[in-house]
Amino acid sequence: MSKKILAVDDDTEIVEVIKIILEDEGYEVSTLTNGKNVLNVISSLRPDLILLDVMLGGMDGREICKSIKSHAIFKYIPIVMISASHNLQSLLKLPGSPNDFLSKPFDIENLLSKVKAQLAT
């Protein structure tokens, strides 16, 4: 059974690119372009991995990440934060922090290696 990935980014072109790249690798990819209903979507979709942008059109992906990680059911889902402007390395040690981060613009191989690493655990 293929692994399910949820990609959340307010840039529709980026989520489309991520979707194409990951579907080519055999993953089942769902996308969201805002963070408003992310917990409902996670609840129904039950993704194996979440790719989450830091800046989501007025919402802070870091707060969404903390919210996801604070839920008993969702806290084990790995989250890779994506950012063009923030160095998230320092966040990786904090409570409610993402499992990894990816800088924009990202290279396809880097995206795939981070996805594979998170899904291997």
Side-chain angles (χ1 to χ4, degrees):
M1 188 170 150
S2 61
K3 297 278 188 179
K4 291 188 275 189
I5 297 173
L6 175 61
V8 187
D9 196 310
D10 60 350
D11 185 326
T12 53
E13 289 178 11
I14 288 178
V15 289
E16 282 307 307
V17 166
I18 289 172
K19 185 174 172 75
I20 291 165
I21 292 167
L22 295 177
E23 284 181 344
D24 278 353
E25 294 293 313
Y27 298 109
E28 188 180 315
V29 182
S30 299
T31 61
L32 274 178
T33 53
N34 65 64
K36 291 185 184 86
N37 298 315
V38 75
L39 293 177
N40 293 337
V41 171
I42 292 168
S43 189
S44 61
L45 185 68
R46 298 278 190 215
D48 298 295
L49 174 69
I50 301 168
L51 300 172
L52 180 62
D53 190 28
V54 171
M55 302 309 290
L56 283 168
M59 295 181 81
D60 189 331
R62 291 166 293 195
E63 292 304 315
I64 295 170
C65 181
K66 280 182 197 161
S67 175
I68 295 167
K69 292 291 189 180
S70 71
H71 276 71
I73 310 165
F74 305 148
K75 69 181 178 186
Y76 301 107
I77 301 171
I79 298 175
V80 176
M81 300 273 324
I82 303 172
S83 176
S85 56
H86 299 79
N87 181 343
L88 302 176
Q89 192 69 44
S90 61
L91 286 183
L92 297 179
K93 305 283 182 255
L94 301 174
S97 64
N99 299 76
D100 204 347
F101 79 94
L102 185 64
S103 298
K104 286 183 195 171
F106 52 82
D107 146 303
I108 293 172
E109 291 307 314
N110 198 14
L111 169 67
L112 292 176
S113 72
K114 287 189 183 282
V115 164
K116 286 176 185 158
Q118 291 303 320
L119 291 173
T121 55

